[in-house]
Amino acid sequence: MIEAIRDHLDDLEDLYLAEQRLADIQSGQTQTIALEELMKLHDMED
């Protein structure tokens, strides 16, 4: 039972962090980058 509660709390924390990142993106505080661009920046092209 304790493990199930811990798992649920971890899921809630993940959800909270995702919602915070989305809010940051929507407000313009954080910008996104396309995966293709990120891969090029790190010399990881297909």
Side-chain angles (χ1 to χ4, degrees), residues 17-35:
L17 292 172
E19 288 174 339
Q20 287 300 105
R21 293 299 155 258
L22 178 59
D24 290 346
I25 291 167
Q26 290 174 332
S27 70
Q29 292 179 332
T30 299
Q31 294 190 2
T32 61
I33 184 171
L35 177 59

Side-chain angles (χ1 to χ4, degrees), residues 9-23:
L9 289 175
D10 286 343
D11 291 344
L12 288 175
E13 182 179 14
D14 291 344
L15 177 60
Y16 171 78
L17 292 172
E19 288 174 339
Q20 287 300 105
R21 293 299 155 258
L22 178 59

